[in-house]
Amino acid sequence: MSANSADPTDRSDVAREVVVDVALEVVLVKAGRTKIRYPAELLHDDGTRVTVRAPWAGEGVRDFGFVRFEPGDVFVEHYWRDRWYAVKEVRDGAGTLKGWYCDITRPATVSATPSGTELVVEDLDLDLWRSADGSAVLRLDEDEFAASGLARTDPEAASAAVAALDELEALAREGGFEALLG
């Protein structure tokens, strides 16, 4: 049992134990279509922030040049109902921190389904990477964001997305992820 799992013999954290038992699927939507759907373990939901754990859900290895996501990697993903981003802590199969991959998204929604619970986020193309040692903070996919036409079709959302990327970049450069995720 991992350090973040509820110990079924410890009754001091009953609320967390109940939350962890909920079946949950993360659904990432892009341009109105489901991009990926995967099961995750619900670790925490305080009504504003939802934290889940999931293994790398992609097919095989994805090499970005600055990091590789591969089978065995584990993501602890933080989503907010009131913020325009998600922050994903990425560790390899041995538990070594690779860094944080951040998606700029509309605020997350969580809803009950007949088979459990869905956490749905809409990807807005912008991303940020922060390496484990903080030496690399990279703004990603700004060209895709510009090509998406969001600034023309939904200028308020586009403005919120750019502001969210700026906020995350400042936190990443100043070492603020620990406070954000704590």
Side-chain angles (χ1 to χ4, degrees):
M1 182 169 285
S2 76
N4 289 328
S5 297
D7 178 353
T9 62
D10 177 5
R11 304 305 296 172
S12 65
D13 195 6
V14 174
R16 183 171 174 207
E17 187 175 332
V18 171
V19 168
V20 170
D21 290 340
V22 172
L24 181 128
E25 271 196 319
V26 175
V27 181
L28 184 63
V29 175
K30 189 170 181 176
R33 297 190 345 230
T34 299
K35 181 177 174 184
I36 190 168
R37 170 187 297 268
Y38 54 92
E41 176 188 6
L42 180 60
L43 300 178
H44 176 78
D45 184 348
D46 65 10
T48 301
R49 186 177 81 189
V50 180
T51 303
V52 303
R53 180 184 315 128
W56 164 240
E59 300 266 333
V61 174
R62 181 133 186 230
D63 189 342
F64 292 95
F66 52 87
V67 67
R68 288 170 48 104
F69 295 160
E70 50 203 337
D73 285 353
V74 176
F75 289 66
V76 174
E77 305 175 359
H78 305 270
Y79 299 91
W80 286 264
R81 290 176 175 96
D82 64 350
R83 297 184 188 186
W84 287 70
Y85 52 76
V87 177
K88 302 171 181 181
E89 178 186 281
V90 185
R91 293 184 179 270
D92 69 16
T96 302
L97 179 65
K98 291 184 174 188
W100 292 268
Y101 194 90
C102 307
D103 288 319
I104 303 303
T105 67
R106 291 184 189 270
T109 62
V110 178
S111 58
T113 68
S115 60
T117 303
E118 279 187 347
L119 184 149
V120 180
V121 291
E122 182 182 348
D123 186 349
L124 298 177
D125 293 312
L126 292 171
D127 300 297
L128 182 93
W129 169 256
R130 181 186 185 268
S131 61
D133 65 3
S135 64
V137 177
L138 307 171
R139 292 171 74 110
L140 306 169
D141 303 328
E142 290 178 296
D143 54 338
E144 288 180 34
F145 178 73
S148 75
L150 189 64
R152 180 181 29 74
T153 60
D154 191 345
E156 287 183 30
S159 178
V162 171
L165 182 62
D166 291 344
E167 177 185 345
L168 282 174
E169 181 180 18
L171 287 169
R173 292 192 184 283
E174 297 164 7
F177 275 6
E178 291 76 11
L180 175 66
L181 305 177

